Every structure is written in C-alpha cells, then in structure tokens.
Amino acid sequence: MEYAAAKSTMCRQCGAHFAPSVPRHTVRLHAKEEPVETLSSDPSLFRKMEGFWNKHHSSVIECFDCKAKQEISSAATSTICPKCSAHIDLRDYKITTSFSRSIRTHGEIHLTAKGDLASTSIRCRSALIEGKMRGNMHCAGTATVNYIGKIPGRLTAEHVLVERKSDVQFFRQIRVKSIEIRGRMSGEIVADAAVVIHRNATLDGNVTAKSISVEKGGIFTGQLVIGNAGLTQAELLPETKPAAAPEADVIAPEAVPHPLPAT
C-alpha cells in the first residue's frame, strides 16, 4: 500500500488519481511560447518586413488622356483612371528585335543593343537606349543613352543622361529640361534648365538653354544661346519688329497736275 501511495494519490474533491511527479500543464505552455518570443526579437525579421514595404511602395501617376493624377502601388501592372475610365499600362518593356507598335506605359522601356525601335509614338516613365531608335520617344522621367552610332529618331524627356562610353549623333533636335553628357554627343539641344558637360566629355552642336556648365577637360563646340529656351529649331534669335519708318508727306491727288516721273 505504501508503494502504491508513493506512485499515485487521490484527489479529495473529485476522487481522481494523479501522479504528483508529473509537471503542470502551465509549465509546458510557457516552454512552447518561448520560441515565439525569440522569433519576434530576431532583427532579420524586421529587415524582411522593411524590405517588403520598401519594395512595394506607392507612387503618383498621371493619366495620358485627361491628365488626372492617382496613387498606385509599385506592384501593380495596370490601373483604370478614376476620372475618364481609361486603361493605364504600368508594365516595363524590353525590346530585343524590330518593333514598330505604339506604347503608352508608366513603366520603363529598355531598348537593347539588338533592338530596333521604329514606333512613331512611345511614351514611358523612363528609358534605357542601347540600340537603334528610329521612332519618336517621350519620357516623363530620365532617358539614359548608352549607344554608339546615329539616332534618327526624336527624343524628348525630363532629363537625358549620355553615358561615358557613348558616341552618339542625334539627327533631330533634343528637347529636355536638363541633360548630362559624360561621353561624346553631337546634335542640337533645347533645354529648359541646365546643360552639363562632364570631365572628358564632348558636345558638338547648337545649344539653347537657361545655363551651361563645362567641367575641366570637357569640350563644347557650336553656337550657344543662354537665357531663352523657348526658341524653336533653326531659330537663333527671336524675331524683332522692324523700326517704324518716318511718316512721309501726304500729297493730295488734286495737288498733282501731272503724274510724277518714275525714278
């Protein structure tokens, strides 16, 4: 009896037998919760969450048709304008062969070295030009040029960056807000703000801009108009009205008896 009493005992209230050496359930529950507390204090978890939010940030875009603005997530591939219900493309495009269709997107256009862009209308947020561009492109942001050769297409952008290894010739006028030249470029530039020619860079062509900066070692050759970026192509100076000629003496017809001889 003493041996059985040592192994188990009986509850005085409900009569159930239990072993006094078995640990209580509260201790086991506490042991299971410890790894959860350790996981929450792991700094790598905070870095993962921070990277998730940074990757999926929001941005403001403008409708191509009605110019209405809205905020969208960077993870979205398309959206609908809340004002005019127009479809807005948000995807990035990579052009590796001949391409002649029109594109309107708030994503990036990557024209690779083997690409040949002949579209008459390309609108994008940003662009990387490494191949032939024979069409027209407008970038709401930055257009980066990393190309050696001639570009017969028309390029307009908020900002243009000509990379260091580039040796590019633009046949048509480039209209931008600002432009940075790190390599070699020739062509006509109309900039609403600044033109910057970095060290060891070369620009050959006419420039109309608010300001120009040529770093030590940079070379600029061509005509320069500073202060008025509203000039159009083949227009060096704004038109000036001719001075008014002095009024000639008016002779009444009846005062002339005979026609005056031609001189």
Side-chain angles (χ1 to χ4, degrees):
M1 296 296 293
E2 295 178 359
Y3 178 78
K7 291 294 183 180
S8 64
T9 183
M10 183 177 65
C11 178
R12 295 181 181 180
Q13 184 174 356
C14 64
H17 290 270
F18 65 93
S21 61
V22 178
R24 294 184 179 182
H25 294 287
T26 56
V27 177
R28 291 184 178 181
L29 291 176
H30 182 71
K32 291 181 180 180
E33 293 177 353
E34 288 180 356
V36 178
E37 296 178 356
T38 305
L39 181 62
S40 62
S41 60
D42 186 3
S44 62
L45 177 63
F46 293 101
R47 287 196 295 267
K48 291 179 180 179
M49 294 298 295
E50 183 180 0
F52 175 81
W53 290 112
N54 291 338
K55 183 178 179 180
H56 297 85
H57 63 277
S58 61
S59 60
V60 178
I61 63 170
E62 184 179 76
C63 178
F64 293 110
D65 297 330
C66 67
K67 307 302 180 182
K69 296 182 179 181
Q70 63 171 313
E71 186 175 358
I72 53 96
S73 172
S74 61
T77 58
S78 65
T79 186
I80 300 296
C81 177
K83 185 176 180 180
C84 67
S85 300
H87 178 266
I88 302 176
D89 193 359
L90 305 174
R91 295 173 296 176
D92 298 335
Y93 288 84
K94 187 175 183 179
I95 301 173
T96 58
T97 58
S98 298
F99 189 88
S100 59
R101 291 179 297 172
S102 298
I103 299 177
R104 291 200 312 175
T105 180
H106 280 283
E108 182 185 72
I109 300 293
H110 181 192
L111 179 59
T112 63
K114 296 182 179 180
D116 185 357
L117 182 61
S119 303
T120 57
S121 178
I122 296 290
R123 301 186 66 181
C124 58
R125 173 181 52 85
S126 59
L128 174 59
I129 302 173
E130 297 177 327
K132 298 179 181 179
M133 194 187 83
R134 296 180 293 164
N136 302 329
M137 179 183 294
H138 172 74
C139 293
T142 300
T144 302
V145 180
N146 189 10
Y147 180 68
I148 298 176
K150 301 177 181 179
I151 296 183
R154 185 184 299 276
L155 177 63
T156 59
E158 179 80 6
H159 180 73
V160 171
L161 173 61
V162 180
E163 289 287 7
R164 183 172 286 106
K165 296 181 179 180
S166 297
D167 188 357
V168 59
Q169 178 183 1
F170 285 93
F171 285 158
R172 296 189 178 183
Q173 180 190 86
I174 300 178
R175 194 169 191 96
V176 296
K177 183 176 182 180
S178 59
I179 182 171
E180 289 182 69
I181 302 171
R182 301 180 183 273
R184 298 175 61 89
M185 174 189 161
S186 62
E188 182 180 0
I189 298 175
V190 175
D192 295 332
V195 175
V196 179
I197 303 174
H198 289 278
R199 183 179 180 182
N200 299 326
T202 302
L203 173 60
D204 183 6
N206 300 335
V207 174
T208 302
K210 188 175 181 179
S211 64
I212 187 171
S213 174
V214 182
E215 295 183 356
K216 185 178 181 180
I219 299 174
F220 168 68
T221 305
Q223 291 182 326
L224 177 63
V225 177
I226 293 295
N228 185 6
L231 302 182
T232 58
Q233 190 173 10
E235 183 182 8
L236 298 180
L237 293 175
E239 295 182 359
T240 57
K241 294 183 179 180
E247 296 183 357
D249 296 336
V250 179
I251 303 177
E254 57 271 15
V256 182
H258 302 286
L260 297 177
T263 57

